[in-house]
Amino acid sequence: MSKTWIVLKHEFRTIVSKPSFWFGIIGLPIIVGAMVIVIGLVSGVATAAVVAQRTGQPNLPHGFVDYAGIIRQLDDGFEPFAGEPEAERALQAGAIEAFYVIPADYVQSGEVRMVMKELDDSPLGPRQRTDDFQRMLNRNLLDDEALWAQLDRQVNITQSESVATVRTRTGPSFGGFSPLMYGVALLFFVVLMTASAYLMQSVTTEKENRVIEILMSSVTPTELLAGKILGLSLVGLIQLVLWFGSAILAFTRLPFLSEVIGPISAVAVLLTALFFVLGYFVYAGLLAGLGALMPGSREAAQYTFLLLLPLFVPIYLNTAIAAEPNGPLAVALSLIPFTSPLVMPMRLFGASVSPLEVAISLALLAGLVYLAINASGRAFRAQALLSGSKPTLKQVIAAFR
Amino acid sequence: MTTMNGATVSVSGLAKSFGQAQAVRDVSFNVHRGEIFGLLGPNGAGKTTTIRMILDIYKPDRGEINVLGGPMTEAKKERIGYLPEERGLYKDLRVEECVLYLAELKGLSRQEARRRADAFFERLGLAAEKRKKVSEFSKGMQQKVQVIATLIHAPELIIIDEPFSGLDPVNTRLVQDLLLEEHRKGTTIIMSTHQMYQVEEMCDRIVLIDKGESVLYGSVDEIRRQYADNAVRVTAHGELPHIPGVLETSRKGNTHTLSLPKDMDPQALLAQLATTPGLKIEAFELALPTMDDIFVRVVSGKQA
C-alpha cells in the first residue's frame, strides 16, 4: 500500500475521530440555525408587541374626507367621514388609526393630506396602508372595472440562463448586500482557514511530539506532505459539503429563504467546489511548508496571519464586490489567484461570468497551486523538519524559494 | 542480507556539513550481521548525523553507505527498526492507534499489525490500557510503546539511539532484555549510547566517533586489551609477598592491583604467587580498563 495513502488515512481518521471536529461540523450549524429561529421568534413577538402598543388594538380602519367626491366604491379597512371635525373626533376616540383629506382640486393638484395622532414614518406605523389607499383612489378615478383589472394585474416575469454565460441571473441584492454571495465567501473563508490550520497543526504537532524522526525513517518528506494535504483536503471537502449542502437544503426548502437567495445553478456549485479544492491546495501547501520550518505551533502562528492575509481581502471588500459583481474590483480579485478561490464563487452565485474569465481564473489558480506545492516541498525537507530552532524571516523566505 | 564485504551496514569515508558546520568529517565502519554494534562518542560528535545518513534521512556530502546489501531504498526502510534519541508519540492518539499507524508505515497490514501489537501489549503489561491516550501514560510506559513500535515489524536491522536514556532500572532491564532477545534471533543492532557499562555488557564491537571522525574501532575485548596497562588484579586470602619488579601495588579489601613493567610476564607472577605459602588465590585476572576509562582517555586526548 502506498505510504501516501497510509498517511492520508491516518490524517483523515485522526481529525474525524475528534469530537471537536463533529461539534464544529454539526454543532455549529445547529447553533446558528437555532439562533436564527430564536431571533426570528423573538423578533416576531417583539413586532407584534410594538404593533399592539402603537395601535392599542390591531387592524384599526383608516378614515377619509372626500371633498373632491371621487370615492364611490369603498375598499375594506377604509371609512368615509363627512368632514374633518368628525374624522378628528374618531381619531381621538381611537376608532381609526389615521385619516386622509382629499381636497376638492385633487384632480389638478394630486395632493392628499394624511392626519395621524403623531407623525410616524416607521414601516410599522400608519404609512403601511397608504399604498392601499392610493389603489382605492385610482380605481375610483378610473371608473372602469375591466380596465382597472388590466392595470392592476401583476406582471409575471420569468428568468432563464443564456448558453453564452455561466450565470445569467443577478441575484437578489439588498442595497449592495447579497446574502448568497456573502454566505459563499464566509463559508469558504471559514473552511479554507480551518482545513489549512488543521494541516499546519498536524505538521507542528509531529515536530513538537518528536514523532517526526520516526516518520522520516519510514516515509519520504514528499509522501508525508502529499498524504497530509490530500487527507486534510478530504476533511475540508466533507466540511464544505455538509455545510454547503445543509445551507442549500435550508434555502431551497424554506420559502422565505428561497425568496432571499433565488435559484442556485448546478454549474456554479460544481465550479465552486473546484475553486475550493484548488484554493485549499494553495493555502494548505504554504501552511504545511511554514509548519515544517517552525519548531512549534506557537512560532508558526506568528507567520500564519501573513500567509492567510489575502483571504481577508474579499471578506473586507464584500459589500463592494456584491454591489458591482462585474466591476473592475470584483473581476480583478476573481482573477488574482490568492483571492480568486473566494471571489470567483461569489461572482458565480451573484452575477453573469463569462466562461473565458472562469477559465483564466482557474488556469492562474492552478499555476499558483503548482508554485505553492513546490515551495512547500522545498521547505518540507528532513533538515527543516528535524530542526528545533526558530528560523529568521529571511531564512523562511529563502526556504520557500 | 549483507553487503559485498559481508557487513550488514558498511560506512566508508562519510562526511556531512550543515552550512559552515562540519557535523561529520570522516567516518568509516562495518557492522556485521547479527552483532550488537556500539556507536559511541561525546555529545555533538556526529553520531546522530551518521545514523540519519545511514537511514537516508540526510544525504551525505561525501562517502559511501551500504545497508542490507546495497544502497538504501524505500523498500529497505521497512526492514529497519529505528528508535531515535529525540523520540515521542502522538500524545492525543490512543496508544493502539499510534502503534498501528507506525507499523503500517513499516509495511504491515492493519490486521497483522493489530495481531502483533496485541502480543506485545500483553507481554509488556499494557493490554488493559492500549485504548488510553498516549498522554495518559507515564514516561516509562511511553518508552515501552516506542520500543514496540520499533520492533513490531520484526526488522532485520535495529538502530537505536540512547535506548536507556531516562529509564528507571526496571525499564532499563526490560529494554535490554528485549534487545538481547532480538540479538539472539540474529537481528543486527546498532546502538548509540553514553552508558559505557551497557556497552561492555551488550556490544560485540564499537566505533568511537569524536569531532566527526572515527577514532577508535574494533571489538570491545580487543580494545580493552589494547588500552590495558600491564597490570593484574589478584583476589586472595593472606598477605601478598614482596615481588621484585612490581611497580605499584594497591589494595581494596582482599583484591590487590599490581602494576607490572612492560617486559614482565603475568603468567610468571601467577606461578610465583601460587607457590607462596599461606596465600590462597581466589581470582587472578588482567586488570583491563573499563570502556568508560577508554572513552575518557581517547576523547580527552590521553590515548595510550
Side-chain angles (χ1 to χ4, degrees), chain A residues 215-229:
Chain A
L215 296 176
M216 291 281 94
S217 71
S218 303
V219 294
T220 63
T222 311
E223 287 171 327
L224 192 62
L225 178 63
K228 282 177 183 300
I229 288 182

Side-chain angles (χ1 to χ4, degrees), chain B residues 192-219:
Chain B
S192 170
T193 180
H194 282 116
Q195 297 182 12
M196 291 301 131
Y197 74 94
Q198 298 282 7
V199 174
E200 286 171 24
E201 206 171 313
M202 295 177 71
C203 292
D204 301 304
R205 296 187 317 124
I206 60 116
V207 66
L208 176 60
I209 300 173
D210 187 30
K211 298 184 179 74
E213 293 179 13
S214 354
V215 291
L216 192 61
Y217 173 51
S219 85

Side-chain angles (χ1 to χ4, degrees), chain A residues 45-362:
Chain A
V45 169
T47 305
V50 169
V51 169
Q53 189 189 11
R54 282 171 182 280
T55 59
Q57 52 186 44
N59 298 325
L60 278 178
H62 283 198
F64 66 91
V65 180
D66 184 7
Y67 293 121
I70 296 169
I71 310 283
R72 287 179 297 282
Q73 285 190 338
L74 277 180
D75 282 356
D76 287 344
F78 293 99
E79 206 171 288
F81 288 90
E84 288 178 61
E86 292 86 347
E88 187 65 43
R89 274 197 295 277
L91 180 68
Q92 293 305 326
I96 56 172
E97 191 181 22
F99 68 89
Y100 307 87
V101 179
I102 307 170
D105 62 345
Y106 170 74
V107 176
Q108 288 79 35
S109 69
E111 297 287 336
V112 170
R113 189 158 50 91
M114 184 181 186
V115 181
M116 55 193 104
K117 273 187 176 173
E118 292 169 5
L119 280 178
D120 189 347
D121 279 339
S122 75
L124 294 174
R127 286 180 63 85
Q128 61 180 322
R129 286 173 60 195
T130 54
D131 285 350
D132 293 342
F133 177 74
Q134 196 169 341
R135 284 182 72 243
M136 180 174 74
L137 193 60
N138 289 342
R139 187 157 61 86
N140 280 278
L141 272 171
L142 194 64
D143 199 19
D144 183 335
E145 282 299 321
L147 189 56
W148 174 250
Q150 285 289 327
L151 285 173
D152 197 38
R153 189 172 60 194
Q154 186 83 28
V155 179
N156 188 21
I157 300 170
T158 56
Q159 301 171 341
S160 66
E161 289 194 337
S162 159
V163 289
T165 51
V166 174
R167 183 104 187 105
T168 59
R169 187 185 62 80
T170 299
S173 176
F174 301 87
F177 174 80
S178 162
L180 183 60
M181 291 171 74
Y182 190 73
V184 167
L186 202 60
L187 186 72
F188 263 46
F189 179 77
V190 172
V191 176
L192 275 179
M193 293 270 282
T194 314
S196 304
Y198 276 142
L199 184 65
M200 195 175 74
Q201 189 188 17
S202 160
V203 177
T204 52
T205 299
E206 280 170 358
K207 290 185 78 171
E208 284 170 340
N209 286 345
R210 298 185 300 177
V211 190
I212 193 72
E213 191 164 355
I214 297 174
L215 296 176
M216 291 281 94
S217 71
S218 303
V219 294
T220 63
T222 311
E223 287 171 327
L224 192 62
L225 178 63
K228 282 177 183 300
I229 288 182
L230 293 174
L232 294 171
S233 73
L234 267 183
V235 171
L237 271 177
I238 285 181
Q239 198 175 6
L240 188 71
V241 166
L242 286 176
W243 283 2
F244 204 60
S246 55
I248 287 177
L249 204 66
F251 283 126
T252 50
R253 292 294 167 94
L254 300 174
F256 167 71
L257 291 175
S258 68
E259 275 173 25
V260 171
I261 296 305
I264 291 168
S265 151
V267 178
V269 171
L270 287 175
L271 282 171
T272 293
L274 189 57
F275 272 96
F276 167 78
V277 170
L278 293 178
Y280 165 77
F281 283 155
V282 168
Y283 285 100
L286 291 175
L287 284 185
L290 180 68
L293 293 172
M294 295 295 159
S297 51
R298 194 181 301 169
E299 292 83 356
Q302 295 168 7
Y303 292 95
T304 308
F305 179 74
L306 282 178
L307 283 182
L308 294 177
L309 200 59
L311 283 178
F312 288 87
V313 174
I315 298 296
Y316 288 134
L317 298 177
N318 165 70
T319 311
I321 295 166
E324 210 177 349
N326 283 331
L329 176 71
V331 171
L333 289 177
S334 68
L335 293 178
I336 295 170
F338 280 105
T339 49
S340 63
L342 255 67
V343 180
M344 186 54 91
M346 285 175 77
R347 293 185 62 211
L348 287 170
F349 280 103
S352 304
V353 184
S354 80
L356 181 65
E357 275 181 35
V358 175
I360 292 172
S361 179
L362 277 174

Side-chain angles (χ1 to χ4, degrees), chain A residues 3 13 206 209-210 213 218, chain B residues 52 82 88 90 105-106:
Chain A
K3 299 278 173 74
R13 200 184 281 140
E206 280 170 358
N209 286 345
R210 298 185 300 177
E213 191 164 355
S218 303
Chain B
R52 287 174 178 173
Y82 177 44
Y90 293 96
L105 287 176
K106 287 293 186 187

Side-chain angles (χ1 to χ4, degrees), chain B residues 145-178:
Chain B
V145 178
Q146 285 157 355
V147 172
I148 292 172
T150 309
L151 303 180
I152 192 166
H153 57 294
E156 292 168 49
L157 170 64
I158 295 170
I159 301 177
I160 190 160
D161 200 350
E162 292 296 345
F164 310 107
S165 108
L167 288 180
D168 61 34
V170 175
N171 283 312
T172 297
R173 177 59 59 89
L174 181 76
V175 172
Q176 190 178 355
D177 288 348
L178 281 168

